[in-house]
Amino acid sequence: MPHPRRGAVRSRFRRRSPSLVPLLVQGVIWAGAAGVLGLWWTGTTSVVGPPDWLTGAGRITGLLAGYGCAVLVALMARIPLLDHRLGTDRLARWHAMGGRYTLSLVLAHTLLIVWGYSLASHSGVIRETTTLVLDYPDMFKATAAFLLLSGTAIVSARAARRRMSYETWHYLHFATYLAVFLAFGHQLSNGADFVGHRPAQLAWYTLYLTVAALIAWYRFLLPVRRSLRHRLRVTDICQEAPGVVSVHLTGRYLTELGAQSGQFFRWRFQAPGLWWTASPYSLSAPPLPHRLRITVKAAGGHSAALARLRPGTRVWVEGPYGGFTAARSSADKVLLLAGGVGITPLRALFETLPGEIKVTLIYRVRRPEDLALRAELDAIAAVRGAAVHYFVSEPAEYSCPLTARALKGLIPDLAAHEVYLCGPPGMTEAARRALRGAGVPRRSVHHESFEF
């Protein structure tokens, strides 16, 4: 069993001011959108009659949709500055919300352009659609892009996601890259704001090539480089609870990864049935110079197969990712609230949060035997003098409702705490409501979801 490092709880605590990175990133995105609207404004001399109004609106929505596609891809490029400061889950939420807006702009652009052109040429909508697709340059590829984007939106709907594995959903999303590539040409060859406008063309090329370079480096080339350099291998598999195992790994130069407690990697195990997918699992112990550990619950075919890994199995790794770290803390009192296997990043944080911080841990599971890593948690609590509360759903006499009243009964000054929250979706949503009811400010609740 890894023992808590006493030095880890003696580190100097520094109060941090709220990060301005989210506001700065949003400001850059909106400034880019304003620039796109400015491009339309400077390229439009007059708007007269219904055809011009419709095609003008189609141009605006088309420009914003093209810009939106570039922003969506950039948000998921796994740029360390954004990922570590904003958090993977926040970027994913922005990506999902932006995806809905972008798809709406694509639909509006398509309908408005076809309608406006049909009025201008005095032809029917169906005939004009056929003419646009078959006779205009790059429009056949743009149509394929439209269908791919629509299909991606369908599989991203919550009802559809529940019916497919993470791996299937992940690889279907690669169709987005193909759709953006196919749609790019028609923007320059048919867009009135680009034809004959060299500065606008150069700006558009710069935007898309920059995003493509970020994707190529951070999503593909850097993970390969790191995997070859660090040569991670499985050293041991230990059962922690029913259906829960810890995977111990070793490698070279692991300090170069810059991993922190609370972060996660995407792991690609070079074993039959596992090598083709990279799944996200959090570090369940502080990273060491030659050792890493993850703790995984069998919740699907991939996670269940990890219990059968053999020592020596090679591992390719992407990361570290996420901003669920001690850097988010700005208070001298912290609550770690875990549900089920959500204890894994919190166990690592429990050991490495600065010693000046007063820490309370609440760990909820269904049955007593599901309390994974309990011996380690008790040892860490003894070193740092922290309070630990274990609750189970069965038997009921050892349960505790996840309500504001119950939490305040355990921690009377809860509103003065920062909270790190990790667990199943239902539990985390109930915890958010309870924390708000207990007076904990929204900005003081830190949570990263690993749902797809």
Side-chain angles (χ1 to χ4, degrees):
M1 180 192 78
H3 293 285
R5 298 170 294 163
R6 292 182 179 272
V9 297
R10 293 177 181 169
S11 58
R12 183 173 180 80
F13 173 64
R14 295 181 179 179
R15 187 176 298 274
R16 298 176 183 268
S17 58
S19 175
L20 295 177
V21 173
L23 294 177
L24 290 174
V25 173
Q26 290 178 346
V28 170
I29 293 173
W30 285 111
V36 168
L37 292 176
L39 178 63
W40 171 83
W41 181 266
T42 58
T44 303
T45 55
S46 63
V47 179
V48 180
D52 279 1
W53 281 105
L54 290 171
T55 54
R59 285 168 53 199
I60 292 174
T61 52
L63 286 168
L64 290 174
Y67 173 71
C69 285
V71 171
L72 289 178
V73 175
L75 287 176
M76 290 290 100
R78 299 174 186 164
I79 303 168
L81 175 63
L82 299 183
D83 194 272
H84 297 169
R85 298 299 295 274
L86 298 178
T88 303
D89 65 329
R90 179 184 291 179
L91 289 173
R93 290 196 301 270
W94 287 6
H95 175 82
M97 180 179 63
R100 291 189 286 270
Y101 287 133
T102 300
L103 183 63
S104 299
L105 289 168
V106 170
L107 291 170
H109 166 68
T110 303
L111 295 174
L112 290 166
I113 288 294
V114 170
W115 191 6
Y117 278 27
S118 67
L119 289 180
S121 62
H122 304 286
S123 61
V125 171
I126 296 177
R127 181 178 178 182
E128 189 62 35
T129 302
T130 303
T131 300
L132 284 170
V133 172
L134 299 180
D135 296 343
Y136 280 65
D138 296 312
M139 280 302 300
F140 192 78
K141 291 188 292 185
T143 302
F146 172 79
L147 295 175
L148 285 172
L149 285 174
S150 300
T152 303
I154 291 172
V155 301
S156 296
R158 188 175 297 273
R161 293 203 308 269
R162 293 195 184 108
R163 291 172 170 80
M164 68 178 67
S165 67
Y166 168 82
E167 295 81 12
T168 301
W169 174 87
H170 177 73
Y171 282 104
L172 284 174
H173 253 62
F174 279 116
T176 304
Y177 298 148
L178 178 59
V180 173
F181 173 77
L182 291 173
F184 180 76
H186 98 284
Q187 299 175 60
L188 299 180
S189 58
N190 296 305
D193 302 286
F194 295 107
V195 176
H197 192 179
R198 193 65 175 171
Q201 293 176 2
L202 290 175
W204 216 243
Y205 268 113
T206 300
L207 172 64
Y208 273 77
L209 288 176
T210 299
V211 172
L214 292 172
I215 287 289
W217 177 249
Y218 288 114
R219 295 292 297 269
F220 299 101
L221 298 179
L222 184 59
V224 171
R225 176 180 176 272
R226 283 180 170 171
S227 295
L228 293 175
R229 176 164 177 76
H230 299 298
R231 301 181 63 83
L232 278 164
R233 293 180 180 274
V234 174
T235 59
D236 195 17
I237 305 293
C238 300
Q239 185 168 0
E240 306 289 0
V244 179
V245 298
S246 284
V247 181
H248 297 258
L249 307 106
T250 189
R252 309 183 304 172
Y253 321 120
L254 298 186
T255 54
E256 294 179 6
L257 291 171
Q260 301 178 56
S261 295
Q263 291 186 312
F264 69 96
F265 288 82
R266 297 182 186 274
W267 308 87
R268 190 183 301 271
F269 296 93
Q270 304 301 297
L274 298 178
W275 64 268
W276 57 280
T277 185
S279 294
Y281 299 119
S282 296
L283 296 174
S284 62
L288 298 175
H290 299 287
R291 188 175 65 187
L292 300 175
R293 189 185 73 177
I294 58 175
T295 302
V296 181
K297 180 178 180 179
H302 185 279
S303 54
L306 299 190
R308 301 188 295 273
L309 286 173
R310 295 181 178 181
T313 301
R314 287 288 303 273
V315 185
W316 286 50
V317 66
E318 303 173 28
Y321 297 126
F324 195 63
T325 66
R328 286 192 175 185
S329 178
S330 60
D332 54 6
K333 297 178 182 179
V334 168
L335 167 63
L336 305 177
L337 181 52
V341 78
I343 189 62
T344 54
L346 299 185
R347 181 263 178 252
L349 280 170
F350 193 27
E351 182 175 339
T352 54
L353 281 168
E356 292 83 356
I357 297 179
K358 179 183 177 182
V359 182
T360 302
L361 171 67
I362 297 177
Y363 183 13
R364 300 166 52 88
V365 294
R366 189 163 67 89
R367 303 167 302 175
E369 56 266 33
D370 295 327
L371 289 167
L373 308 174
R374 180 170 181 175
E376 296 180 24
L377 297 172
D378 289 339
I380 296 168
V383 169
R384 64 182 308 148
V388 180
H389 304 278
Y390 300 108
F391 295 106
V392 298
S393 300
E394 304 169 5
E397 58 264 31
Y398 297 105
S399 65
C400 177
L402 200 52
T403 63
R405 182 177 180 180
L407 290 177
K408 291 182 71 174
L410 291 171
I411 310 173
D413 60 343
L414 179 58
H417 284 62
E418 289 215 44
V419 180
Y420 288 80
L421 170 63
C422 192
M427 173 263 180
T428 55
E429 183 55 36
R432 284 177 179 274
R433 291 195 298 267
L435 292 167
R436 287 197 297 269
V440 179
R442 187 184 300 269
R443 65 179 180 276
S444 297
V445 179
H446 310 303
H447 168 246
E448 280 200 339
S449 170
F450 303 104
E451 286 188 287
F452 66 93

